[in-house]
Amino acid sequence: MNILVTGTHGFIGVMMGAYLRNQGHSVTGLDTGFYSDGWLYDGVEPVEHTICKDIRAVTESDLAGFDAVVHLAELSNDPLGKLNPTITYQINHQGSVHLAQLCKAVGIPRFVYASSCSVYGLGSDDFKTEESEVNPLTAYAECKVMVERDVSALADDYFSPTFLRNATAYGASPRIRFDVVLNNLSGMAWTQKQIALTSDGRPWRPLVHVLDICQAFSRVLEAPRAVVHNQVFNVGDTRENYRVVEIARIVAEVFPDCVLTVGTSDQDDRSYRVSFDKIHRVLPEFACQWDARKGAQQLYQVFEQIKMEADTFGFRAFTRLKQLQHLIAVGQIDDQFYWK
Ligand SMILES: NC(=O)c1ccc[n+]([C@@H]2O[C@H](COP(=O)([O-])OP(=O)(O)OC[C@H]3O[C@@H](n4cnc5c(N)ncnc54)[C@H](O)[C@@H]3O)[C@@H](O)[C@H]2O)c1
């Protein structure tokens, strides 16, 4: 297949480009490059050609000839959404719907969208399924819900969108994010030999390795159209629902001499436990290859290999909010988040 992957300069995108290429697909990237300053380690080949463009400025001519679009490029977490909710709606909601509309207009039959389990927001201990009511608590999560709704409405005999609600990602990527929970705790364990949770760590968080996300997208692209047409899938493994404190415990066990302390406050009200049965039922070849412990071990090996220093862990480009605040402060992007 000839695939356009948006967000190829990001944490998941750089791995997605390499993964799909290894599956024999021809891959072109598209990314505005907000975090391109950061590259943690070598060994992953970025896609050869990336269109350097904002998704809001994409035109039909950028999309000619693709069989499928994998859409990852958005402001990728809750704190970014809080930084500027208006821009979050413009990029994540309107930008994504604009992209899907153009894909449909030029006749691209498949559109696979990176949604998020954060649409479930606040749950009880019950497992959320794709049929559960959504409860988005932030602008970021609300945009995911609105994109699913509006792009789903475009589905017809010639345009098949699929919505993959990914669990919280972890794992190694040259464009690593240290603002996702397992990677963040691993960075603390490596640089400080200490994980000091200020919260009580009770909220539930389903986790999924970045390569298992890549596998899910690949399985969807290769599945018969009828199986994935206008479907929503949670992406992960039901066994990989952890309380934050459990994730911290696993990381502290993997990183030698790491001390874990747990706080008492209860600051984060996002908590959801998710069932991943549907993706396993509908796409039986899909099977997660990773779990949290293996992911922490992988990060330990990467940090060891590059002798990672505290400055690297703290580098702005590896924390999405810090990097965007930096680009704004030095005037590299304007108030609409376009490069000046
Ligand atoms: N990482 C996770 O835990 C997770 C979980 C669920 C869903 N997702 C979704 O997966 C996608 C990728 O996540 P990630 O962790 O790789 O994020 P990321 O921030 O590392 O990557 C996003 C990429 O998109 C690009 N981008 C952002 N806005 C753009 C715009 N307007 N035009 C063009 N490019 C733009 C950025 O430059 C960046 O390279 C996002 O849509 C995110 O919401 C991520």
Coordinates of all heavy atoms in Angstrom, one line a residue, residues 6-13 30-36 53-56 71-77 80 91-92 113-118 140 144 164-170 175 177 180 208 213 320 337, ligand 1:
T6 N 0.7 10.8 9.0 CA 0.9 12.2 9.6 C 1.5 12.0 11.0 O 1.3 11.0 11.7 CB -0.4 13.0 9.7 OG1 -1.2 12.4 10.8 CG2 -1.2 13.0 8.4
G7 N 2.3 13.0 11.4 CA 3.0 12.9 12.7 C 4.2 12.0 12.8 O 4.6 11.5 13.8
T8 N 4.8 11.9 11.6 CA 6.0 11.0 11.5 C 7.2 11.5 12.3 O 8.2 10.7 12.4 CB 6.4 10.8 10.0 OG1 6.1 11.9 9.3 CG2 5.9 9.5 9.5
H9 N 7.2 12.8 12.7 CA 8.4 13.2 13.5 C 8.1 13.1 15.0 O 8.9 13.6 15.8 CB 8.6 14.7 13.2 CG 9.4 14.9 11.9 ND1 10.2 14.0 11.3 CD2 9.3 16.0 11.0 CE1 10.7 14.5 10.2 NE2 10.2 15.7 10.0
G10 N 7.0 12.4 15.3 CA 6.7 12.3 16.7 C 7.1 10.9 17.4 O 7.7 10.1 16.7
F11 N 6.7 10.8 18.6 CA 7.0 9.6 19.4 C 6.5 8.3 18.7 O 7.3 7.4 18.5 CB 6.4 9.8 20.8 CG 6.4 8.6 21.7 CD1 7.5 7.9 22.0 CD2 5.2 8.3 22.4 CE1 7.5 6.8 22.8 CE2 5.2 7.2 23.3 CZ 6.3 6.5 23.5
I12 N 5.2 8.2 18.4 CA 4.7 7.0 17.8 C 5.0 7.1 16.3 O 5.4 6.0 15.7 CB 3.1 7.0 18.0 CG1 2.8 6.9 19.5 CG2 2.6 5.8 17.2 CD1 1.3 7.0 19.8
G13 N 4.9 8.3 15.7 CA 5.0 8.4 14.2 C 6.4 7.9 13.7 O 6.4 7.2 12.6
L30 N 4.1 13.2 7.0 CA 3.7 14.6 7.0 C 3.8 15.1 8.4 O 3.2 14.5 9.3 CB 2.3 14.7 6.5 CG 1.8 16.2 6.3 CD1 0.9 16.3 5.0 CD2 1.0 16.7 7.5
D31 N 4.5 16.2 8.7 CA 4.6 16.7 10.0 C 5.1 18.1 10.0 O 5.9 18.5 9.2 CB 5.7 15.8 10.8 CG 5.5 15.9 12.3 OD1 5.7 17.0 12.8 OD2 5.3 14.8 12.9
T32 N 4.7 18.9 10.9 CA 5.2 20.3 11.0 C 6.5 20.4 11.8 O 7.1 21.4 11.8 CB 4.1 21.2 11.6 OG1 4.5 22.6 11.4 CG2 3.8 20.9 13.1
G33 N 6.8 19.4 12.6 CA 8.1 19.3 13.2 C 8.3 20.1 14.5 O 9.4 20.6 14.8
F34 N 7.3 20.1 15.3 CA 7.4 20.8 16.6 C 8.5 20.3 17.5 O 9.1 21.0 18.2 CB 6.1 20.7 17.4 CG 4.9 21.6 16.9 CD1 3.6 21.1 16.9 CD2 5.1 22.8 16.3 CE1 2.5 21.8 16.5 CE2 4.1 23.6 15.8 CZ 2.8 23.1 15.9
Y35 N 8.7 19.0 17.4 CA 9.6 18.4 18.4 C 10.9 17.8 17.8 O 11.6 16.9 18.3 CB 8.9 17.2 19.2 CG 7.5 17.7 19.6 CD1 6.4 17.1 19.0 CD2 7.3 18.7 20.5 CE1 5.1 17.5 19.3 CE2 6.0 19.1 20.8 CZ 4.9 18.5 20.2 OH 3.7 18.9 20.5
S36 N 11.2 18.3 16.6 CA 12.3 17.7 15.8 C 13.7 18.0 16.4 O 14.7 17.3 16.0 CB 12.3 18.3 14.4 OG 11.1 17.9 13.8
K53 N 4.5 20.2 6.7 CA 3.4 21.0 6.6 C 2.4 20.8 7.8 O 2.4 19.8 8.4 CB 2.6 20.5 5.4 CG 2.0 21.7 4.6 CD 1.4 21.2 3.3 CE 1.1 22.4 2.4 NZ 0.5 22.1 1.2
D54 N 1.7 21.9 8.1 CA 0.7 21.8 9.2 C -0.6 21.1 8.6 O -0.9 21.4 7.4 CB 0.3 23.2 9.6 CG -0.4 23.2 10.9 OD1 -1.6 22.8 10.9 OD2 0.1 23.7 11.9
I55 N -1.2 20.3 9.4 CA -2.4 19.6 8.8 C -3.5 20.5 8.4 O -4.3 20.2 7.6 CB -3.0 18.5 9.8 CG1 -3.3 19.1 11.2 CG2 -2.1 17.3 9.9 CD1 -4.2 18.1 12.0
R56 N -3.5 21.7 9.1 CA -4.5 22.7 8.7 C -4.3 23.3 7.3 O -5.2 23.9 6.8 CB -4.6 23.8 9.8 CG -5.0 23.4 11.1 CD -4.7 24.5 12.2 NE -3.3 24.6 12.4 CZ -2.8 25.5 13.3 NH1 -3.6 26.4 13.9 NH2 -1.5 25.6 13.4
H71 N -3.5 8.8 10.6 CA -3.4 10.1 11.1 C -3.1 10.2 12.6 O -3.9 9.9 13.4 CB -4.8 10.8 10.8 CG -4.8 12.2 11.3 ND1 -3.8 13.1 11.2 CD2 -5.8 12.9 11.9 CE1 -4.1 14.3 11.8 NE2 -5.3 14.2 12.2
L72 N -1.9 10.7 12.8 CA -1.4 10.8 14.2 C -1.1 12.3 14.6 O -1.0 12.6 15.8 CB 0.0 10.1 14.4 CG 0.1 8.6 13.9 CD1 1.6 8.2 14.0 CD2 -0.7 7.7 14.9
A73 N -1.0 13.2 13.6 CA -0.5 14.5 13.9 C -1.5 15.4 14.6 O -2.5 15.9 14.0 CB 0.0 15.2 12.6
E74 N -1.3 15.6 15.9 CA -2.2 16.5 16.7 C -1.4 17.0 17.9 O -0.3 16.5 18.1 CB -3.4 15.7 17.2 CG -4.5 15.5 16.2 CD -5.8 14.9 16.8 OE1 -5.8 14.6 18.0 OE2 -6.7 14.7 16.0
L75 N -1.9 17.9 18.6 CA -1.3 18.2 19.9 C -1.7 17.1 20.9 O -2.9 16.8 21.1 CB -1.9 19.6 20.4 CG -1.6 20.8 19.5 CD1 -2.2 22.0 20.1 CD2 -0.1 21.0 19.2
S76 N -0.6 16.4 21.4 CA -0.8 15.0 21.8 C -1.1 14.8 23.3 O -1.0 13.6 23.6 CB 0.4 14.2 21.3 OG 1.5 14.8 21.9
N77 N -1.4 15.7 24.1 CA -1.8 15.4 25.4 C -2.6 16.5 26.1 O -2.8 17.6 25.6 CB -0.7 14.9 26.3 CG 0.4 16.0 26.6 OD1 0.1 17.1 26.3 ND2 1.5 15.6 27.1
L80 N -1.1 20.0 26.8 CA -1.0 20.9 25.6 C -2.4 21.5 25.3 O -2.5 22.6 24.9 CB -0.6 20.0 24.4 CG 0.8 19.5 24.3 CD1 1.1 18.9 23.0 CD2 1.8 20.6 24.6
I91 N -6.5 22.6 15.7 CA -5.7 21.6 15.1 C -6.3 20.2 15.3 O -6.6 19.5 14.3 CB -4.3 21.6 15.8 CG1 -3.5 22.9 15.5 CG2 -3.5 20.3 15.4 CD1 -2.2 23.0 16.2
N92 N -6.6 19.9 16.5 CA -7.0 18.5 16.8 C -8.4 18.1 16.2 O -8.6 17.1 15.6 CB -7.0 18.1 18.3 CG -5.6 18.1 18.8 OD1 -4.7 18.7 18.2 ND2 -5.4 17.6 20.0
Y113 N -7.4 6.6 12.3 CA -7.2 7.7 13.2 C -6.8 7.3 14.6 O -7.3 6.4 15.2 CB -8.6 8.5 13.3 CG -8.5 9.6 14.3 CD1 -7.7 10.7 14.1 CD2 -9.3 9.6 15.4 CE1 -7.6 11.8 15.0 CE2 -9.3 10.7 16.3 CZ -8.4 11.8 16.1 OH -8.3 12.8 17.0
A114 N -5.8 8.0 15.1 CA -5.2 7.8 16.4 C -6.1 8.5 17.5 O -5.8 9.6 17.9 CB -3.8 8.3 16.5
S115 N -7.1 7.8 17.9 CA -7.9 8.3 19.0 C -7.2 7.8 20.3 O -6.1 7.3 20.3 CB -9.3 7.8 18.9 OG -10.1 8.5 19.9
S116 N -8.0 8.0 21.4 CA -7.3 7.7 22.7 C -8.3 7.2 23.7 O -9.5 7.6 23.7 CB -6.7 9.0 23.3 OG -6.4 8.9 24.6
C117 N -7.9 6.3 24.6 CA -8.7 5.8 25.7 C -9.0 6.9 26.7 O -9.9 6.8 27.6 CB -8.0 4.7 26.5 SG -8.0 3.1 25.6
S118 N -8.4 8.1 26.5 CA -8.7 9.2 27.4 C -10.1 9.7 27.2 O -10.7 10.5 28.0 CB -7.7 10.3 27.3 OG -7.8 10.9 26.0
Y140 N -8.4 18.1 25.0 CA -7.7 17.0 24.2 C -8.7 15.9 24.0 O -8.9 15.4 22.9 CB -6.4 16.6 24.9 CG -5.8 15.3 24.4 CD1 -5.1 15.3 23.2 CD2 -6.0 14.1 25.1 CE1 -4.5 14.2 22.7 CE2 -5.4 12.9 24.6 CZ -4.7 13.0 23.4 OH -4.1 11.8 22.9
K144 N -10.9 14.4 20.6 CA -10.9 13.0 20.1 C -12.3 12.5 19.8 O -12.6 11.9 18.8 CB -10.2 12.1 21.1 CG -8.7 12.3 21.3 CD -7.9 11.9 20.1 CE -6.4 12.0 20.3 NZ -5.7 12.1 19.0
L164 N -8.9 4.2 16.3 CA -8.1 3.4 17.2 C -7.9 4.1 18.5 O -7.2 5.1 18.5 CB -6.8 2.9 16.6 CG -7.0 2.0 15.4 CD1 -5.6 1.5 14.9 CD2 -7.9 0.9 15.6
R165 N -8.6 3.7 19.6 CA -8.5 4.4 20.9 C -7.3 3.8 21.6 O -7.5 2.7 22.3 CB -9.8 4.3 21.7 CG -10.9 5.0 21.1 CD -12.2 4.9 22.0 NE -13.3 5.6 21.4 CZ -14.6 5.4 21.7 NH1 -14.9 4.5 22.6 NH2 -15.5 6.2 21.2
N166 N -6.2 4.4 21.5 CA -5.0 3.8 22.1 C -4.9 4.1 23.6 O -5.3 5.1 24.0 CB -3.7 4.5 21.4 CG -3.7 4.3 19.9 OD1 -3.4 3.2 19.5 ND2 -4.0 5.3 19.2
A167 N -4.4 3.0 24.3 CA -4.1 3.2 25.7 C -2.9 4.2 25.8 O -2.4 4.6 24.8 CB -3.8 1.9 26.3
T168 N -2.5 4.5 27.0 CA -1.3 5.4 27.1 C -0.1 4.6 26.7 O 0.2 3.5 27.1 CB -1.2 5.8 28.6 OG1 -2.3 6.6 29.0 CG2 0.1 6.7 28.8
A169 N 0.7 5.3 25.8 CA 1.8 4.6 25.1 C 3.0 4.7 26.0 O 3.2 5.6 26.9 CB 2.1 5.3 23.8
Y170 N 3.9 3.7 25.9 CA 5.2 3.7 26.5 C 6.2 3.1 25.6 O 5.8 2.4 24.6 CB 5.2 3.0 27.9 CG 4.9 1.5 27.8 CD1 5.9 0.6 27.6 CD2 3.6 1.1 27.8 CE1 5.7 -0.8 27.5 CE2 3.3 -0.3 27.7 CZ 4.3 -1.2 27.5 OH 4.1 -2.5 27.4
R175 N 12.3 9.7 19.2 CA 11.5 10.9 19.5 C 10.7 10.7 20.8 O 9.5 11.0 20.9 CB 10.6 11.3 18.4 CG 11.3 11.9 17.2 CD 11.2 13.4 17.3 NE 12.3 14.0 16.5 CZ 12.5 13.9 15.2 NH1 11.7 13.3 14.5 NH2 13.6 14.5 14.7
R177 N 8.9 10.5 24.3 CA 8.2 11.4 25.2 C 8.5 11.0 26.6 O 8.2 9.8 27.0 CB 6.7 11.4 24.9 CG 6.3 12.1 23.6 CD 4.8 12.0 23.4 NE 4.0 12.5 24.5 CZ 2.7 12.5 24.5 NH1 2.0 11.9 23.5 NH2 2.1 13.0 25.6
V180 N 4.9 10.8 29.2 CA 3.9 9.7 29.4 C 4.4 8.8 30.5 O 5.6 8.7 30.8 CB 3.8 8.8 28.1 CG1 2.9 9.6 27.0 CG2 5.1 8.4 27.5
V208 N 0.0 0.7 26.7 CA 0.3 -0.1 25.5 C 1.7 0.3 24.9 O 2.0 1.5 25.0 CB -0.8 0.0 24.4 CG1 -0.9 1.4 23.9 CG2 -0.6 -1.0 23.3
I213 N 1.1 -0.5 19.3 CA 0.2 0.5 18.6 C 0.5 0.4 17.0 O -0.5 0.3 16.2 CB 0.4 1.9 19.0 CG1 0.0 2.1 20.5 CG2 -0.3 2.9 18.1 CD1 0.2 3.5 21.1
R320 N 6.4 17.4 25.7 CA 5.7 18.2 24.6 C 5.3 19.6 25.0 O 5.5 20.6 24.3 CB 4.5 17.4 24.1 CG 4.8 16.1 23.5 CD 6.0 16.1 22.6 NE 6.2 14.9 21.8 CZ 7.4 14.5 21.6 NH1 8.5 15.1 22.1 NH2 7.6 13.4 20.8
F337 N 0.2 28.9 16.3 CA 1.1 27.7 16.3 C 1.6 27.4 14.8 O 1.9 26.2 14.5 CB 0.5 26.4 16.9 CG 0.3 26.5 18.4 CD1 0.3 27.7 19.1 CD2 0.2 25.3 19.1 CE1 0.2 27.7 20.5 CE2 0.1 25.4 20.5 CZ 0.1 26.6 21.2
Ligands
LIG1 N1 1.4 8.7 23.2 C1 0.2 8.3 23.8 O1 0.2 7.8 24.9 C2 -1.0 8.3 23.0 C3 -2.2 7.6 23.4 C4 -3.3 7.7 22.7 C5 -3.4 8.4 21.5 N2 -2.3 9.1 21.1 C6 -2.4 9.9 19.9 O2 -1.4 9.4 18.9 C7 -1.0 10.5 18.2 C8 0.5 10.6 18.2 O3 1.0 10.7 19.6 P1 2.5 10.9 20.0 O4 2.6 10.4 21.4 O5 3.3 10.3 18.9 O6 2.6 12.4 19.9 P2 3.8 13.4 19.5 O7 3.5 14.7 20.1 O8 5.1 12.8 19.9 O9 3.7 13.5 18.0 C9 2.7 14.3 17.3 C10 3.4 14.8 16.0 O10 2.4 15.5 15.3 C11 3.0 16.7 14.9 N3 2.0 17.8 14.8 C12 1.3 18.3 15.8 N4 0.5 19.2 15.4 C13 0.6 19.3 14.0 C14 0.0 20.0 13.0 N5 -0.9 21.0 13.3 N6 0.3 19.8 11.7 C15 1.3 18.8 11.4 N7 1.9 18.1 12.4 C16 1.6 18.3 13.7 C17 4.1 17.1 15.9 O11 5.1 17.9 15.3 C18 4.6 15.7 16.3 O12 5.7 15.3 15.5 C19 -1.7 11.7 18.7 O13 -2.8 12.0 17.9 C20 -2.1 11.3 20.1 O14 -3.2 12.1 20.5 C21 -1.1 9.0 21.8

